[in-house]
Amino acid sequence: MSNPRPIDEPSGAAEQAALFPLLSEKGNRRLIVEWIETHDDYTLVDPDQSVATATFDCCILDGEMLQTHAETLRARKREAEPALLPCLLLIPEADLSLIETDRGEIADSVVFETADEVVSMPIKKAELEWRTKALTRLRTQSLRLKERTDTLELFKKAVESSGHVIWMSDTDGTINYVNSAFESVTGYTKAEAIGKSPELLSSGQMSDDYYTDLWETITAGDRWREDITNERRDGSQYVADQTIAPVIEDGEPKAFIAVQTDITDRKDLEHRLSRYRDVVERLDDPIMLQTREGAFRLVNDALCSFAGLSRDELLGSGEFKFMDDATARKIARQKQHVIETERPIEYTVEPTFTYTNKEPVFYTSRYPHYEDGELAGTLAICRDVTDLENRTRQLRVFDNILRHNIRNDVNVVRGRAKQLQEELDGEHKATADVIVSRANALLTTSKKSRAITDSLSGSHELESVDIAQLVRKLTQEIAADWPEVTVDISGPDQLIVSVPDSIDATIEELLMNAVVHNDSDTPEVSVNLATDESWGVLRIRDNGPGIPEFDKDVLESGKAIETLSHGSGLGLWLVYWTVTHSGGHVYVDECEPTGTEITIYLPLVSTN
């Protein structure tokens, strides 16, 4: 029989002590084995096991086995320290003189280094009983002491390696222990802190009432937890979440232990967030933070006011809770685009709010939002441009009247110039040609200006358009007018998107720019149609000289207005506003070795 319990594991009150009979004389070994097997308090360790690996609480051995295994047993006892691994030595009474020799070789080198008790044979069962119990009791006590010592050592290591500031004091407040984090955070060494009062860290920021309440709480045996502003050795300050607890013995505090967590950075962040929150709440424009799935995580009062719902009602929901379905779907597509591309976008919506019956116009900027380096959702800032839209409509009336009068006057000038072309010759005819050319350019610019005005100040109504058919129609017309240009088109036969009615002029403008400004010896234009998630994609690529930077700015962001002094520039503005009002996006890339690729994303209309 054997006991698999580790050598340093205490038996416990409910467990049997494991006895290892290591006896050379067969008769004695049989008697001891029988005694162990019939005893309720003990379990037998197989006497044939190796002394080096057997698991036992007490070894019972005789002189011959002592001398044979003395070195191994001493090694086992050293391994078990500080726990006791007792050995009970049984020696015939006639041989007791061996341990009392003048030379003392056996006693010095073997017996008293290995055996913990020496008993003469024959031994009575009662004596064997109490001697064995005494040794196993000492074994159990030593194991329990070792366990407590190990626990205390582990606790000390944990406290020393903790990132929290920990210090202990006696009941009069004198510090008697600090850990390594105390030194690194406060700048005071252990030698400088031990024997001092916690006033060593006083910053002067805490009131006398704070310290009075603290002291009254912990001396009454209760735990104290509050934030505190302390001062480091170098004079700088830090904010800590501090807990001080009394160590109670016999119902009275015997010591105090304090644990501090440096929360200076967190407090600074909370202060900044509080300022930001105040700013956000003061804005009249709705601001919202949403998850990747579109659920509101943060909303300001402006959005609550427009929606007619409380903050609690909005958090966890989305636009479908308080907007008309068409607008909510459009916004959902914009959010999805930001999630897919991780790029900010801008778009305009005119929602109808269900609970307030408001119909404002919002110009929205939506950005990707990250947490811990991972894309967590989107942040949207909605600018209420309702009044601006009303002014735009008023300007449109003025623009219509003004442009009507100018167009009429230009038509008159062009008509008279054409008459002069027919009647004059030489230098005068060349002058008339210039007048006709400029008049035609003014009429073209007027046409594009009208399209832009319609795009900016129209109702923004969207309609379903098959741009695949539209693109094929326009490319056929261009191929007929410009036979020297190779025009290639690829993609599906049908691609239905949601766009304003100015989409025809928009695509025509892009195709014409790719053809007219192409100075290549073999001009080529390729048009590709595709789908990407919830978007219809149109790519127009040419091998021309490339697009100027200000034209790129116009297409992608509506900037560089000061550079727009020609008709083609106005056409690019038409592209920008048409795509923007559809909720789409324009991207411009340079091609190698020459040329430009313009990619337009337009909201896809499901055909299911």
Side-chain angles (χ1 to χ4, degrees):
M1 295 178 291
S2 64
N3 183 358
R5 175 167 41 82
I7 191 170
D8 58 350
E9 181 180 315
S11 302
E15 295 187 12
Q16 297 173 309
L19 303 184
F20 185 26
L22 195 60
L23 302 161
S24 58
E25 204 284 314
K26 293 183 179 179
N28 287 339
R29 183 169 70 173
R30 178 174 53 79
L31 291 174
I32 295 296
V33 168
E34 289 177 353
W35 176 74
I36 295 173
E37 287 180 331
T38 57
H39 205 293
D40 293 337
D41 292 334
Y42 306 122
T43 183
L44 175 67
V45 178
D46 186 353
D48 293 327
Q49 280 199 58
S50 168
V51 176
T53 59
T55 301
F56 57 89
D57 292 308
C58 181
C59 177
I60 302 175
L61 72 166
D62 57 21
E64 181 178 339
M65 300 303 278
L66 173 67
Q67 294 191 61
T68 302
H69 299 290
E71 185 176 345
T72 302
L73 287 170
R74 285 197 295 272
R76 295 291 303 273
K77 291 169 77 71
R78 286 194 297 270
E79 289 176 8
E81 291 176 351
L84 175 67
L85 186 62
C87 292
L88 176 60
L89 176 62
L90 305 181
I91 298 180
E93 187 172 358
D95 294 336
L96 290 177
S97 59
L98 291 175
I99 64 173
E100 298 172 355
T101 61
D102 292 338
R103 293 176 62 192
E105 290 179 0
I106 296 179
D108 292 341
S109 64
V110 178
V111 178
F112 296 119
E113 291 184 15
T114 310
D116 298 278
E117 286 278 359
V118 180
V119 180
S120 61
M121 296 284 286
I123 186 172
K124 295 180 181 180
K125 287 186 177 181
E127 184 179 2
L128 181 62
E129 176 77 31
W130 73 260
R131 290 202 183 258
T132 303
K133 278 192 174 181
L135 289 175
T136 55
R137 185 181 301 112
L138 287 172
R139 160 81 170 161
T140 299
Q141 290 173 349
S142 69
L143 285 170
R144 288 173 178 168
L145 178 60
K146 180 178 183 297
E147 185 177 21
R148 286 195 292 270
T149 301
D150 289 346
T151 300
L152 287 173
E153 185 63 26
L154 181 62
F155 175 76
K156 182 179 178 180
K157 289 180 179 178
V159 169
E160 283 299 323
S161 61
S162 170
H164 301 288
V165 173
I166 299 176
W167 53 265
M168 296 183 64
S169 74
D170 55 27
T171 52
D172 67 2
T174 301
I175 297 174
N176 51 41
Y177 170 80
V178 300
N179 70 342
S180 300
F182 179 97
E183 295 181 297
S184 61
V185 171
T186 68
Y188 290 100
T189 66
K190 293 181 181 181
E192 292 172 322
I194 292 176
K196 302 294 194 304
S197 164
E199 292 180 0
L200 179 74
L201 304 175
S202 176
S203 65
Q205 299 295 314
M206 314 310 294
S207 67
D208 291 341
D209 289 342
Y210 176 93
Y211 292 110
T212 299
D213 291 344
L214 184 159
W215 190 250
E216 289 178 351
T217 299
I218 61 177
T219 54
D222 296 324
R223 182 173 63 92
W224 168 272
R225 180 176 181 179
E226 290 286 346
D227 291 350
I228 187 170
T229 300
N230 282 339
E231 186 171 284
R232 299 183 180 92
R233 192 178 189 279
D234 62 6
S236 63
Q237 294 183 353
Y238 70 96
V239 182
D241 175 0
Q242 176 174 262
T243 299
I244 303 180
V247 179
I248 305 296
E249 289 184 9
D250 300 325
E252 295 292 331
K254 298 299 182 183
F256 301 114
I257 181 167
V259 179
Q260 291 185 348
T261 302
D262 188 348
I263 58 172
T264 307
D265 291 342
R266 193 187 80 191
K267 283 294 183 180
D268 289 343
L269 178 60
E270 289 177 353
H271 183 63
R272 290 198 303 272
L273 287 176
S274 177
R275 292 203 307 268
Y276 297 154
R277 188 179 298 109
D278 289 342
V279 171
V280 168
E281 290 299 341
R282 291 174 185 274
L283 293 176
D284 293 330
D285 300 319
I287 297 177
M288 63 211 74
L289 181 66
Q290 293 172 273
T291 65
R292 292 173 66 107
E293 293 74 27
F296 291 122
R297 290 182 55 195
L298 179 148
V299 296
N300 67 343
D301 286 343
L303 180 61
C304 296
S305 176
F306 275 104
L309 297 172
S310 67
R311 183 175 277 100
D312 289 341
E313 289 173 311
L314 287 175
L315 294 178
S317 66
E319 285 85 359
F320 285 94
K321 186 176 180 67
F322 56 88
M323 282 187 187
D324 62 284
D325 287 348
T327 304
R329 283 194 296 271
K330 177 178 179 179
I331 294 174
R333 288 195 297 268
Q334 306 302 331
K335 287 185 289 191
Q336 186 60 31
H337 186 76
V338 173
I339 295 296
E340 292 171 1
T341 64
E342 296 191 42
R343 297 175 66 171
I345 60 173
E346 298 176 345
Y347 56 93
T348 303
V349 293
E350 298 184 41
T352 299
F353 289 98
T354 308
Y355 299 99
T356 59
N357 293 322
K358 295 178 181 177
E359 295 184 2
V361 180
F362 287 121
Y363 182 75
T364 301
S365 298
R366 189 172 291 272
Y367 306 89
H369 170 67
Y370 298 89
E371 293 181 3
D372 298 325
E374 297 293 329
L375 182 65
T378 63
L379 172 69
I381 302 173
C382 304
R383 186 72 175 172
D384 184 359
V385 295
T386 308
D387 292 340
L388 179 61
E389 282 293 304
N390 290 334
R391 294 191 192 98
T392 301
R393 292 186 178 104
Q394 294 169 1
L395 288 173
R396 187 186 183 200
V397 175
F398 175 76
D399 175 73
N400 286 341
I401 295 172
L402 182 61
R403 192 168 349 97
H404 177 268
N405 293 339
I406 291 176
R407 188 169 59 249
N408 287 344
D409 290 342
V410 171
N411 279 325
V412 171
V413 170
R414 186 178 64 170
R416 294 298 177 88
K418 283 185 176 182
Q419 289 180 1
L420 292 175
Q421 279 181 312
E422 296 172 356
E423 297 173 359
L424 300 176
D425 54 17
E427 182 180 344
H428 297 295
K429 183 178 185 304
T431 302
D433 291 342
V434 171
I435 296 173
V436 171
S437 175
R438 291 298 183 179
N440 287 334
L442 284 172
L443 290 173
T444 299
T445 299
S446 176
K447 179 181 177 182
K448 292 181 178 181
S449 174
R450 178 58 180 270
I452 292 173
T453 303
D454 290 343
S455 176
L456 288 173
S457 58
S459 63
H460 302 154
E461 290 290 335
L462 303 180
E463 56 188 40
S464 298
V465 175
D466 183 356
I467 60 170
Q469 294 299 317
L470 176 59
V471 166
R472 284 180 169 83
K473 171 179 172 292
L474 291 171
T475 53
Q476 288 174 359
E477 294 175 356
I478 289 175
D481 294 337
W482 302 81
E484 70 277 14
V485 179
T486 301
V487 181
D488 177 64
I489 182 169
S490 62
D493 293 334
Q494 185 181 68
L495 188 61
I496 302 177
V497 294
S498 179
V499 288
D501 59 8
S502 56
I503 190 65
D504 303 55
T506 294
I507 296 177
E508 182 181 12
E509 176 70 22
L510 292 175
L511 291 172
M512 289 299 297
N513 276 345
V515 170
V516 172
H517 299 294
N518 196 323
D519 59 358
S520 172
D521 293 337
T522 56
E524 298 175 357
V525 176
S526 65
V527 183
N528 174 256
L529 297 160
T531 60
D532 182 1
E533 299 289 340
S534 59
W535 300 93
V537 184
L538 170 63
R539 289 186 177 89
I540 300 176
R541 182 181 183 126
D542 65 67
N543 63 341
I547 188 171
E549 191 64 29
F550 64 82
D551 281 346
K552 179 180 178 181
D553 287 341
V554 171
L555 283 171
E556 290 191 327
S557 62
K559 297 178 181 177
I561 187 171
E562 70 276 2
T563 64
L564 298 180
S565 58
H566 50 81
S568 62
L570 287 178
L572 296 182
W573 264 89
L574 173 63
V575 174
Y576 171 77
W577 283 110
T578 298
V579 175
T580 298
H581 285 166
S582 73
H585 320 282
V586 182
Y587 302 112
V588 180
D589 297 292
E590 295 181 358
C591 300
E592 292 295 338
T594 60
T596 304
E597 181 177 86
I598 298 175
T599 304
I600 298 178
Y601 285 82
L602 300 169
L604 196 62
V605 175
S606 175
T607 56
N608 295 335

